[in-house]
C-alpha cells in the first residue's frame, strides 16, 4: 500500500478582490506530493504560485477545498495549531531569503529548533552549517552576506528541524545565474535521501532538473505540461 | 517639488497613526511649555489686576511701610488743588474653608459701573447698606458653591467673621478669589476704623503725588509691584520653567523618533527618487517642509491644549502662592498673541533642529537603493560621545560654579542633555546584559533583536530615561525635602501648645495672665514686623527649651545664645543670609523711628518658613525700639503635660478669644502647606512621564512597523501569535526596564542637583542630601507597567497581521 502523501491539496480555491473585481487565483486545484518527492511548480507571474505555497504552509486559508499536511487538515485547524504544525513539519525558503536582520547566522539557523522548544548544541550546529559551507559565517549578521550566502543560510534554517515538507518560493529568483545553479545543486544534495518532500515554486526552467516532476499552474489549476 | 510634496501628502494619508503620534508628541511638549508660561505670567502680572481695575492700567499705589495709612490723609489730599481721583483701599487676607481669599474693601461708588468690576446701582446699594455684605465674581462664587444671600465665614488676622454675599458680579475677572466690600463696613468689621491699607491713584498722577505726599509715604508703580511679585516668586517660577523646558525636550525626542521612523519607511522611495534625478537638496527641502508642517500643526494644537492646561496648573499653584507669598493670583490666564507666537516659533525651530540628523541620514541614501541597508551602525561614535561628555562637563561646571539660579538651571539642563545623549549607549549595554541569562528564552531572543536596533530605539531610550529620571529625581528631592521640613518643624516646636486669639491681639496683659497660670513652666512668644525696606523682623521671647528649637548652620550655640539673650546680637535665617549676602559678624542695621540700631549677626539658623528670610531679635529690645507690646502667638511650656482640652478650657476661661493649637496640629498644617506647594511639581512630572510614554509607544510602533517583515517571517516559520505578542511585549518591557536602570543614577544626580544646587539658589535654604528610595522603586514599577502597557497595542497590531499578506506584498 502506498504511503500517505505528505501534502495533499484537494479542490483548492482562493480568490481576491482588487479594485472591485474578483480575481479567482486558484480554482479547484488538486495536488498530492509523496514522501521524498520533489515537485516544481511553474507558471506566469500572478498565476497564483505564491498563493498556492502560502495555503500549503497554512499561512492563508482557502475559500474552498482541503489542505492536508502530514495527515492534518490545515483548512479546519485553528490558527495556533496551524502555526505549531508549520513550525514542526514545514520548512520554508523565500525568494528574498527573509533572514532576521537582527539575528546572527547561527541564531537564524537555530530559530526553528527554538520555535519547536528544542535546543541545538554549538557543535551540531557547526556540523550542520558545515554541510552547506556556512561554518565560517555563523557569527555574521545577514546584512554582511552575499545573496547566495543568504540563501544558503535560509536553506539551512529550513532544514535544521528536519521537516516533512520543504516549501520553496522562487528560491533562485533574486540570484544571478551562476549562484542560482549552485543553490539548485544544494537543494538537490540536501533533499536527496531524506524523508522530506519538496515543493518549489519557480520561474527557473533549470529547477525542473532536480525535481521528480514539473507542474504548470494555469487558470487556477495544475497541469503537467 | 510639487510632486514630491504630493507624494509626501499621500504617504501621511496612508499612515494616519504615525501622523497622529508626531502631532501628539510635539503638541504635548508645547502644551506644557504654554501652560507654564501662561501661569508664570499670572504669578507676576495678574496679581496686579485688581489694582488696575480699581484705578486703571498702570495705576500707582500710595502706601506706608507699616502697611497702614491714616484715613485723614485721603481727605487732606483730595481737597488740595489738582488732586487726582484717589481710591482708598483696605486689604486683608481671609481664610475660608481652608482656602485663602483676599478681602478688598473700597468705595463702591468709586469703582462702579465705569470700571472693570461692573457693579450696578443695586449692587452698590446692597454693599453699602449691608455692613457685612461682600461681592464676588461669578468664578469665585462657582468655586465656593455660593449664591446671593449665602453666609461666608472667614478668619481674618486671627479673628472669625461672618459675612454675607450680597452681589455676584458678571464681570470683574480681577476679583478672582477676592471679596469686595464697602470700605466703611470693612473698617468696622476688622476694627480698623480711620485706617487704610493703601490709596490707588491714576498712572499720570505720580508728579502731583510726589509733590504733595508727606514724608514716610511711598509711591509704587504697577511695574515696581510686578517686579516685587517677580522677585518673591522667582524660585518657584524658575523651577516651573525648567520643568516645562524639559517637557519640551522630551516632546522633541518624540518628533525626532517619528520622523526618523518615517524616513526608514520611505528609504526605498527616497532611493528611487534620487535615482530618477531628485537632488539631495530637494530631499532635504522635502523633509524640512514636512517637519515644518508637522511641528507647526502640532505646536498649534499644543498652544490650544496649553491654554486649557494653564488654568488647571494655576488651580494647583494659587493656594501655595497665597500661603507662601501672601499673594492672591487671579484664577484665569491672559494669553497674548506675542506669547503664542514666541512659543510656536521656538517649538518649530527646535523641531527643525532636532530632526537635522534625519535629514543628514536622508541625504546619505544612494540613488537607486532597492535593498534594505538600514542595519544599525554597531561601532562607537566618538564624536557623539565627545559632545555628550562636553555637555556633561560644561553643564556641571556651570551648575557648580555659578551662584545665579538661571545659570544653575541652564547648567543642569546642559548636563541632562549630555546624559540623554549617553543614555542610549548605556541602555544598549544593559539590554545586552539583561539578555545574557535569558538568551535561550523568548525574552532573551526579543532583547537580542532589540539590541541590534540601536538607531531606532535610541530616541526612545533617551526620552524615557530622561523623563523617568526627572520624575524620580523630583520625587526624591520633594520627599527628602519633606523629611527635612518634618524634622525641622519637630525640632522647632518645643512648646506643648500654641496660643493665638480669634479677634484682636495678644497684648502684654493677656501674656502676663497666661504666664501666671499654675502649671505653666514658661511662655515663649513671637511677633513679626515688616521693616520699610521689606525685611522681616521676628521678635522672640525665648525660654531655654525654645532655644533648642533653633538649628544653627553657622555660629557657636552658646555664645550666640548669650549675645541674643542680652540683646547684643541678632540671629538671621539661612535664606536671609544668602539673599542679603550676610555672614557671621556682619552688622544688621534696624531703624525704628529716629533711631538706628546696629547689631552683629551671632548665628545663622535653619529655616524653611520663608524663602525671603527674617532677622530674629530679642523681644525685649524689639518692644523698646518699636513700642509694640503685641505678640502674634505664644508657646506654652507646662510643668507636666496634661490633657490639652482641659488646658484649652482653662485658657479660654481667662479670655474666650484664645485659640489653642497643639504642636502636632501645627506640624500637620505645615506639612499640608508643603504638600500643596509641591503638587504642581508632581503634576508636571506626571505630564513629562505621559510624554515619555508617547515617545515609547511611538518608538515601539516604529520598530514594529520597521520589523514587520521579520515578524511575518517568524510567524511563517511557526511563531504563534501569542509568541509574537510575548516577543514584542518582552521588547517593550525590556526597553522600559533598561531605561529605568539608566534613569536610576540620573535620578540621583537630578535629586542631588536640585537639593544641593537649585534649592539653595532658588529659595536660599540648604538641604541635607538624603536618599529616599520610594521614588526609585515607584519609577521602576511604573516603567515596567508602562513598558508592558505600551507594548500591548503594538504587539496586538503586529500579531494580528496576516504573515501571508505581509510576505506577498513585499515579495
Amino acid at each position: 500500500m502506498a504511503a500517505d502523501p505528505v501534502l495533499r491539496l484537494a479542490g483548492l480555491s482562493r480568490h481576491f478582490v482588487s479594485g472591485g473585481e474578483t480575481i479567482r487565483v486558484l480554482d479547484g486545484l488538486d495536488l498530492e506530493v509523496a514522501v521524498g518527492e520533489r515537485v516544481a511548480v511553474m507558471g506566469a507571474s500572478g498565476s497564483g504560485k505564491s498563493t498556492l505555497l502560502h495555503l500549503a504552509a497554512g499561512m492563508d486559508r482557502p475559500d474552498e477545498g482541503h489542505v492536508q499536511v502530514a495527515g492534518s487538515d490545515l483548512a479546519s485547524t485553528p490558527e495556533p495549531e496551524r502555526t505549531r504544525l508549520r513550525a514542526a513539519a514545514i520548512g520554508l525558503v523565500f525568494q528574498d531569503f527573509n533572514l532576521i536582520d537582527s539575528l546572527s547566522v547561527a541564531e537564524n539557523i537555530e530559530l526553528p529548533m527554538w520555535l519547536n522548544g528544542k535546543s541545538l548544541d554549538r557543535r551540531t550546529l557547526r556540523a550542520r552549517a558545515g554541510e552547506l559551507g556556512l561554518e565560517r559565517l555563523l557569527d555574521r549578521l545577514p546584512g554582511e552576506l552575499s545573496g547566495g550566502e543568504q540563501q544558503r543560510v535560509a536553506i539551512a534554517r529550513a532544514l535544521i528541524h528536519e521537516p516533512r515538507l520543504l516549501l520553496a518560493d522562487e528560491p533562485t529568483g533574486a540570484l544571478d545565474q551562476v549562484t542560482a545553479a549552485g543553490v539548485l545543486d544544494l537543494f538537490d544534495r540536501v533533499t536527496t535521501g531524506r524523508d522530506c518532500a519538496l515543493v518549489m515554486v519557480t520561474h527557473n526552467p533549470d529547477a525542473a532538473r532536480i525535481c521528480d516532476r514539473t507542474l504548470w499552474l494555469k487558470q487556477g489549476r495544475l497541469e503537467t505540461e | 517639488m510639487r510632486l514630491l510634496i504630493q507624494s509626501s501628502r499621500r504617504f501621511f494619508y496612508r499612515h494616519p497613526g504615525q501622523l497622529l503620534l508626531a502631532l501628539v508628541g510635539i503638541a504635548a511638549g508645547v502644551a506644557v511649555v504654554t501652560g507654564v508660561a501662561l501661569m508664570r505670567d499670572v504669578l507676576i502680572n495678574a496679581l496686579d489686576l485688581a489694582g488696575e481695575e480699581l484705578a486703571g492700567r498702570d495705576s500707582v499705589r500710595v502706601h506706608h511701610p507699616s502697611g497702614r495709612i491714616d484715613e485723614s490723609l485721603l481727605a487732606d489730599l483730595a481737597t488740595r488743588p489738582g488732586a487726582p481721583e484717589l481710591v482708598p483701599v483696605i486689604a486683608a487676607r481671609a481664610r475660608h474653608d481652608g482656602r485663602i481669599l483676599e478681602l478688598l474693601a473700597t468705595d463702591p461708588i468709586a469703582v462702579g459701573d465705569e470700571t472693570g468690576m461692573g457693579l450696578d446701582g443695586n449692587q452698590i446699594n446692597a454693599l453699602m447698606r449691608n455692613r457685612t455684605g461682600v461681592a464676588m465674581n461669578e468664578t469665585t462664587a462657582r468655586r465656593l458653591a455660593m449664591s446671593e444671600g449665602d453666609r461666608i465665614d472667614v478668619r481674618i488676622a486671627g479673628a472669625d467673621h461672618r459675612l454675607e454675599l450680597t452681589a455676584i458680579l458678571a464681570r470683574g475677572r480681577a476679583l478672582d478669589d477676592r471679596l469686595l466690600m464697602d470700605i466703611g463696613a470693612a473698617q468696622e468689621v476688622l476694627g480698623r476704623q480711620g485706617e487704610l491699607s493703601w490709596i490707588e491713584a491714576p498712572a499720570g498722577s505720580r508728579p502731583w503725588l510726589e509733590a504733595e505726599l508727606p514724608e514716610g509715604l511711598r509711591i509704587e508703580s504697577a511695574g515696581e509691584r510686578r517686579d516685587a511679585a517677580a522677585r518673591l516668586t522667582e524660585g518657584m517660577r524658575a523651577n516651573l520653567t525648567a520643568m516645562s523646558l524639559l517637557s519640551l525636550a522630551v516632546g522633541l525626542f518624540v518628533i525626532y523618533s517619528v520622523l526618523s521612523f518615517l524616513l526608514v519607511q520611505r528609504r526605498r522611495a527616497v532611493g528611487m527618487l534620487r535615482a530618477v534625478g531628485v537632488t539631495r537638496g530637494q530631499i532635504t527641502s522635502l523633509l524640512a517642509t514636512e517637519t515644518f508642517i508637522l511641528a507647526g500643526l502640532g505646536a498649534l494644537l499644543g498652544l490650544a491644549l496649553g491654554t486649557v492646561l494653564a488654568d488647571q496648573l494655576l488651580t494647583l499653584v494659587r493656594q501655595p502662592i497665597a500661603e507662601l507669598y501672601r499673594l492672591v493670583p487671579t484664577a484665569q490666564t491672559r494669553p497674548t498673541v506675542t506669547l503664542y507666537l514666541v512659543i510656536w516659533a521656538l517649538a518649530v525651530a527646535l523641531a527643525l533642529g532636532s530632526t537635522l540628523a534625519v535629514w543628514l541620514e536622508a541625504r546619505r541614501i544612494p540613488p537607486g537603493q532597492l535593498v534594505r541597508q538600514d542595519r544599525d551602525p554597531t561601532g562607537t561614535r566618538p564624536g557623539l560621545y565627545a559632545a555628550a561628555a562636553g555637555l556633561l562637563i560644561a553643564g556641571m561646571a556651570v551648575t557648580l560654579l555659578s551662584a545665579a539660579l538661571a545659570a544653575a538651571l541652564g547648567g543642569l539642563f546642559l548636563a541632562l542633555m549630555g546624559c540623554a545623549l549617553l543614555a542610549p549607549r548605556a541602555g544598549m549595554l544593559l539590554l545586552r546584559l539583561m539578555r545574557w541569562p535569558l538568551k535561550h528564552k523568548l525574552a532573551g531572543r526579543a532583547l537580542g533583536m532589540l539590541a541590534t536596533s540601536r538607531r531606532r530605539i535610541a530616541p526612545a531610550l533617551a526620552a524615557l530615561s530622561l523623563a523617568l529620571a526627572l520624575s524620580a529625581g523630583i520625587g526624591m528631592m520633594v520627599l527628602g525635602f519633606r523629611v527635612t521640613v518634618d524634622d525641622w518643624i519637630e525640632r522647632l516646636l518645643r512648646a506643648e501648645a500654641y496660643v493665638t486669639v480669634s479677634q484682636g491681639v495678644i497684648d502684654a496683659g493677656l501674656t502676663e495672665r497666661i504666664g501666671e497660670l499654675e502649671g505653666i513652666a514658661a511662655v515663649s512668644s513671637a511677633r513679626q514686623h515688616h521693616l520699610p525696606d521689606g525685611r522681616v523682623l521676628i521678635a522672640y521671647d525665648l525660654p531655654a527649651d525654645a532655644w533648642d528649637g533653633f538649628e544653627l548652620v553657622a555660629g557657636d550655640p552658646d555664645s550666640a545664645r548669650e549675645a541674643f539673650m542680652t540683646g547684643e546680637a541678632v540671629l538671621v535665617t539661612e535664606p536671609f543670609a544668602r539673599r542679603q549676602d550676610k555672614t557671621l559678624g556682619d552688622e544688621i542695621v534696624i531703624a525704628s523711628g529716629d533711631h538706628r540700631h546696629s547689631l552683629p549677626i551671632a548665628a545663622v539658623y535653619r529655616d524653611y518658613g520663608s524663602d525671603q528670610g527674617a532677622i530674629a531679635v530679642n523681644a525685649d529690645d524689639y518692644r523698646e525700639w518699636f513700642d509694640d507690646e503685641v505678640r502674634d502667638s505664644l508657646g506654652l511650656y507646662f510643668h507636666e503635660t496634661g490633657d490639652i482640652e482641659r488646658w484649652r478650657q482653662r485658657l479660654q476661661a481667662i479670655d474666650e478669644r484664645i485659640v489653642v493649637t497643639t504642636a502636632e496640629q501645627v506640624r500637620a498644617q505645615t506639612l499640608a502647606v508643603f504638600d500643596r506647594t509641591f503638587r504642581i511639581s508632581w503634576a508636571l512630572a506626571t505630564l513629562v512621564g505621559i510624554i515619555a510614554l508617547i515617545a515609547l509607544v511611538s518608538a515601539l510602533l516604529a520598530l514594529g512597523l520597521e520589523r514587520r517583515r521579520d515578524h511575518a517571517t517568524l510567524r511563517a516559520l511557526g511563531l504563534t501569535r501569542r509568541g509574537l505578542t510575548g516577543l514584542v511585549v518582552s521588547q517593550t518591557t525590556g526597553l522600559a526596564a533598561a531605561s529605568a536602570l539608566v534613569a536610576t543614577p540620573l535620578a540621583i544626580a537630578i535629586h542631588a542637583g536640585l537639593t544641593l544646587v537649585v534649592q539653595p539658589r532658588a529659595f536660599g535654604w540648604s538641604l541635607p542630601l538624603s536618599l529616599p528610595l520610594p521614588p526609585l522603586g515607584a519609577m521602576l514599577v511604573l516603567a515596567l507597567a508602562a513598558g508592558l502597557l505600551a507594548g500591548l497595542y503594538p504587539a496586538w497590531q503586529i500579531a494580528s497581521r496576516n504573515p501571508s499578506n505581509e510576505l506577498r506584498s513585499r515579495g
Side-chain angles (χ1 to χ4, degrees):
Chain A
M1 198 173 89
D4 284 338
V6 177
L7 174 68
R8 183 169 168 269
L9 308 176
L12 208 60
S13 293
R14 184 77 172 100
H15 68 264
F16 297 100
V17 178
S18 176
E21 190 186 345
T22 301
I23 302 161
R24 191 166 284 276
V25 179
L26 302 181
D27 188 12
L29 179 144
D30 296 311
L31 173 67
E32 284 193 5
V33 182
V35 176
E37 189 183 11
R38 295 183 289 196
V39 177
V41 177
M42 302 186 73
S45 294
S47 61
K49 299 189 297 298
S50 292
T51 302
L52 168 65
L53 223 58
H54 288 182
L55 287 169
M59 288 195 287
D60 196 4
R61 296 184 98 152
D63 299 315
E64 287 169 38
H66 296 279
V67 178
Q68 214 171 59
V69 174
S72 299
D73 187 357
L74 294 188
S76 59
T77 304
E79 196 278 334
E81 281 175 46
R82 269 189 287 143
T83 305
R84 276 190 278 274
L85 181 77
R86 190 160 64 243
I90 298 174
L92 280 164
V93 178
F94 302 94
Q95 177 180 353
D96 45 5
F97 331 126
N98 282 6
L99 300 177
I100 308 293
D101 282 345
S102 48
L103 296 179
S104 68
V105 166
E107 288 166 334
N108 265 289
I109 293 174
E110 63 175 330
L111 251 181
M113 300 299 286
W114 168 62
L115 290 171
N116 283 294
K118 296 175 184 167
S119 61
L120 193 67
D121 63 78
R122 185 80 181 178
R123 221 167 60 180
T124 315
L125 175 70
R126 188 171 284 279
R128 302 287 290 276
E131 292 170 17
L132 285 89
L134 295 169
E135 68 273 27
R136 289 196 306 180
L137 305 176
L138 289 176
D139 293 323
R140 300 259 191 98
L141 288 171
E144 296 164 342
L145 307 181
S146 68
E149 288 170 334
Q150 290 196 49
Q151 195 57 300
R152 274 193 282 151
V153 175
I155 294 168
R157 181 177 70 183
L159 292 170
I160 193 76
H161 58 306
E162 299 188 337
R164 304 281 309 281
L165 176 64
L166 183 60
L167 300 173
D169 188 359
E170 301 274 13
T172 58
L175 304 174
D176 63 72
Q177 209 170 353
V178 176
T179 313
V183 165
L184 286 177
D185 285 344
L186 191 63
F187 263 108
D188 188 24
R189 187 156 54 85
V190 296
T191 53
T192 302
R194 289 182 193 247
D195 284 342
C196 173
L198 167 69
V199 177
M200 185 191 297
V201 159
T202 182
H203 279 298
N204 187 347
D206 288 346
R209 72 177 162 83
I210 68 154
C211 291
D212 303 315
R213 53 184 170 130
T214 301
L215 301 172
W216 292 84
L217 186 56
K218 289 180 182 166
Q219 292 172 342
R221 290 171 185 238
L222 288 170
E223 296 174 7
T224 47
E225 271 302 330
Chain B
M1 195 67 191
R2 187 181 61 79
L3 286 176
L4 290 182
I5 290 173
Q6 183 77 330
S7 123
S8 178
R9 192 182 64 79
R10 288 215 181 95
F11 177 83
F12 283 113
Y13 186 73
R14 288 206 314 273
H15 298 84
Q18 278 72 60
L19 182 64
L20 192 67
L21 268 177
L23 288 174
V24 169
I26 192 77
V30 171
V32 177
V33 172
T34 309
V36 170
L38 286 170
M39 192 181 60
R40 275 171 51 96
D41 176 65
V42 170
L43 297 188
I44 304 170
N45 295 321
L47 286 166
D48 203 46
L49 269 181
E52 281 184 14
E53 295 210 357
L54 287 173
R57 188 158 174 77
D58 293 329
S59 62
V60 292
R61 182 174 292 182
V62 176
H63 69 100
H64 188 271
S66 67
R68 289 157 192 235
I69 296 179
D70 192 328
E71 195 176 20
S72 61
L73 176 71
L74 181 73
D76 179 23
L77 288 173
T79 52
R80 292 186 198 176
E85 192 175 339
L86 300 171
V87 181
V89 179
I90 282 190
R93 282 205 323 161
R95 189 175 278 275
H96 166 74
D97 198 17
R99 189 184 290 270
I100 292 179
L101 308 171
E102 185 178 48
L103 180 77
L104 207 57
T106 187
D107 177 3
I109 297 171
V111 296
D113 200 29
E114 290 171 18
T115 68
M117 303 284 182
L119 276 170
D120 64 28
N122 290 336
Q123 290 169 327
I124 292 172
N125 280 338
L127 270 185
M128 296 183 73
R129 248 195 340 267
N130 187 335
R131 305 316 284 165
T132 59
V134 292
M136 63 176 71
N137 69 8
E138 279 179 344
T139 319
T140 310
R142 207 176 312 119
R143 197 175 299 123
L144 301 181
M146 289 200 155
S147 48
E148 277 186 12
D150 283 355
R151 306 283 173 185
I152 172 167
D153 292 319
V154 291
R155 188 173 173 82
I156 300 171
D160 293 319
H161 304 282
R162 172 160 285 189
L163 306 174
E164 187 183 335
L165 180 58
T166 56
I168 295 177
L169 309 179
R171 284 188 281 157
R173 194 167 71 92
L175 280 186
D176 282 339
D177 278 3
R178 285 175 171 80
L179 306 174
L180 186 66
M181 197 172 184
D182 171 58
I183 194 161
Q187 286 171 326
E188 279 173 33
V189 168
L190 303 178
R192 291 174 66 175
Q193 285 91 344
E195 194 181 280
L196 303 175
S197 294
W198 72 76
I199 298 167
E200 291 280 347
S205 60
R206 190 174 191 123
W208 186 90
L209 288 168
E210 279 171 350
E212 300 291 333
L213 283 181
E215 268 186 41
L217 286 165
R218 288 159 182 258
I219 305 168
E220 196 178 49
S221 69
E224 286 164 337
R225 290 197 295 276
R226 276 192 278 270
D227 287 347
R231 273 196 304 277
L232 268 178
T233 57
E234 184 189 8
M236 182 176 267
R237 286 181 298 108
N239 279 335
L240 294 174
T241 305
M243 294 280 289
S244 71
L245 287 176
L246 284 167
S247 308
L248 182 62
V250 179
L252 290 174
F253 274 116
V254 178
I255 197 162
Y256 167 72
S257 171
V258 171
L259 287 174
S260 142
F261 154 67
L262 293 176
L263 177 66
V264 169
Q265 279 199 315
R266 289 183 293 170
R267 180 173 284 276
R268 287 165 67 93
V270 171
M272 287 308 300
L273 287 171
R274 293 276 289 117
V276 297
V278 173
T279 64
R280 282 189 173 137
Q282 284 171 316
I283 294 291
T284 308
S285 301
L286 176 70
L287 292 177
T289 308
E290 281 178 3
T291 310
F292 181 81
I293 292 171
L294 272 177
L297 287 174
L300 275 181
L301 190 63
L303 291 176
L305 286 173
T307 307
V308 177
L309 179 69
D311 287 337
Q312 306 306 316
L313 292 176
L314 196 55
T315 311
L316 291 178
V317 85
R318 291 173 74 238
Q319 190 74 0
I321 288 284
E323 282 166 335
L324 296 175
Y325 305 112
R326 308 177 70 83
L327 302 169
V328 182
T330 55
Q332 290 167 47
T333 52
R334 278 205 299 189
T336 62
V337 176
T338 314
L339 183 76
Y340 280 154
L341 277 177
V342 167
I343 294 175
W344 186 87
L346 177 79
V348 172
L350 287 174
L352 287 169
S354 71
T355 50
L356 258 179
V358 180
W359 307 352
L360 292 174
E361 195 183 332
R363 287 173 69 91
R364 283 198 291 267
I365 296 175
Q369 180 175 338
L370 295 176
V371 293
R372 288 185 297 166
Q373 286 189 348
D374 52 350
R375 287 184 54 242
D376 274 1
T378 49
T380 52
R381 300 165 75 182
L384 180 75
Y385 300 134
L391 280 173
L392 195 59
I393 293 166
M396 284 172 70
V398 171
T399 305
L400 294 174
L401 299 177
S402 166
L405 175 64
L409 284 172
L412 203 60
F413 192 76
L414 284 183
L416 282 176
M417 288 298 107
C419 290
L421 289 178
L422 291 174
R425 181 77 182 162
M428 300 312 290
L429 201 66
L430 281 169
L431 279 174
R432 277 195 275 276
L433 286 175
M434 283 156 57
R435 182 201 172 193
W436 188 251
L438 301 165
K439 66 178 183 180
H440 295 300
K441 310 263 185 226
L442 176 85
R445 306 228 170 221
L447 295 181
M449 291 170 76
L450 200 59
T452 55
S453 307
R454 191 180 75 192
R455 203 169 49 185
R456 212 49 62 222
I457 62 173
L461 260 173
L464 254 189
S465 306
L466 199 64
L468 289 172
L470 199 64
S471 301
I474 290 170
M476 290 174 83
M477 183 275 286
V478 174
L479 213 60
F481 193 6
R482 194 179 194 278
V483 170
T484 303
V485 168
D486 197 7
D487 290 346
W488 166 73
I489 196 83
E490 201 168 313
R491 179 180 176 140
L492 192 68
L493 299 172
R494 313 298 291 188
E496 272 95 349
Y498 291 85
V499 166
T500 52
V501 286
S502 59
Q503 283 185 323
V505 292
I506 302 174
D507 55 23
L510 180 58
T511 309
E512 200 173 319
R513 289 205 298 283
I514 291 173
E516 286 167 355
L517 276 176
E518 197 182 333
I520 300 265
V523 176
S524 64
S525 78
R527 171 68 169 161
Q528 193 167 310
H529 180 93
H530 289 264
L531 293 169
D533 56 12
R535 290 179 304 166
V536 175
L537 280 187
I538 305 177
Y540 284 113
D541 281 305
L542 293 177
D545 278 357
W547 175 260
D548 293 338
F550 286 85
E551 183 187 351
L552 303 190
V553 290
D556 172 60
D558 294 331
S559 56
R561 180 182 176 187
E562 178 68 28
F564 181 79
M565 291 304 189
T566 54
E568 290 166 8
V570 297
L571 311 178
V572 296
T573 67
E574 194 186 10
F576 180 91
R578 206 181 287 267
R579 285 192 189 282
Q580 305 282 333
D581 198 19
K582 297 284 184 194
T583 185
L584 288 182
D586 286 355
E587 293 286 320
I588 297 288
V589 178
I590 299 164
S592 64
D594 297 333
H595 300 284
R596 288 164 62 83
H597 313 279
S598 182
L599 295 169
I601 296 172
V604 179
Y605 65 97
R606 200 179 290 287
D607 183 88
Y608 301 110
S610 150
D611 60 355
Q612 297 305 302
I615 306 163
V617 296
N618 183 305
D620 289 333
D621 290 336
Y622 166 79
R623 287 191 279 270
E624 190 188 320
W625 299 341
F626 291 94
D627 191 22
D628 179 8
E629 291 292 329
V630 168
R631 279 83 164 165
D632 293 326
S633 65
L634 303 177
L636 305 185
Y637 297 75
F638 305 137
H639 282 302
E640 285 176 20
T641 307
D643 177 3
I644 201 73
E645 195 47 46
R646 285 197 57 188
W647 271 108
R648 185 173 282 121
Q649 288 166 7
R650 285 183 69 193
L651 287 161
Q652 285 177 344
I654 297 175
D655 190 325
E656 62 181 14
R657 299 172 305 147
I658 284 179
V659 176
V660 180
T661 314
T662 64
E664 190 48 43
Q665 285 169 327
V666 175
R667 177 173 165 263
Q669 285 163 8
T670 307
L671 291 178
V673 170
F674 180 91
D675 290 338
R676 281 198 290 274
T677 306
F678 281 97
R679 267 192 318 198
I680 189 154
S681 298
W682 288 113
L684 286 176
T686 309
L687 283 172
V688 171
I690 291 171
I691 298 171
L693 200 65
I694 296 169
L696 178 66
V697 174
S698 129
L700 293 170
L701 278 177
L703 197 65
L705 289 167
E706 183 192 350
R707 295 275 181 224
R708 64 184 180 186
R709 191 166 176 78
D710 287 351
H711 293 143
T713 303
L714 284 169
R715 292 271 293 121
L717 294 179
L719 184 64
T720 58
R721 277 191 178 140
R722 185 182 287 183
L724 191 55
T725 304
L727 185 108
V728 175
V729 170
S730 296
Q731 290 182 334
T732 61
T733 315
L735 189 63
S739 304
L741 290 173
V742 172
T744 300
L746 204 51
I748 295 171
I750 290 173
H751 164 49
L754 291 175
T755 302
L756 300 177
V757 181
V758 175
Q759 284 283 337
R761 284 165 175 74
F763 300 106
W765 47 56
S766 64
L767 293 170
L769 185 64
S770 57
L771 196 64
L773 295 176
L776 284 179
M779 174 189 76
L780 196 61
V781 171
L782 282 176
L784 290 177
L788 188 69
L789 289 174
L792 285 177
Y793 172 68
W796 169 79
Q797 203 188 41
I798 290 162
S800 58
R801 280 192 205 112
N802 185 343
S804 179
N805 292 342
E806 195 57 45
L807 293 168
R808 186 183 285 115
S809 67
R810 300 276 188 103

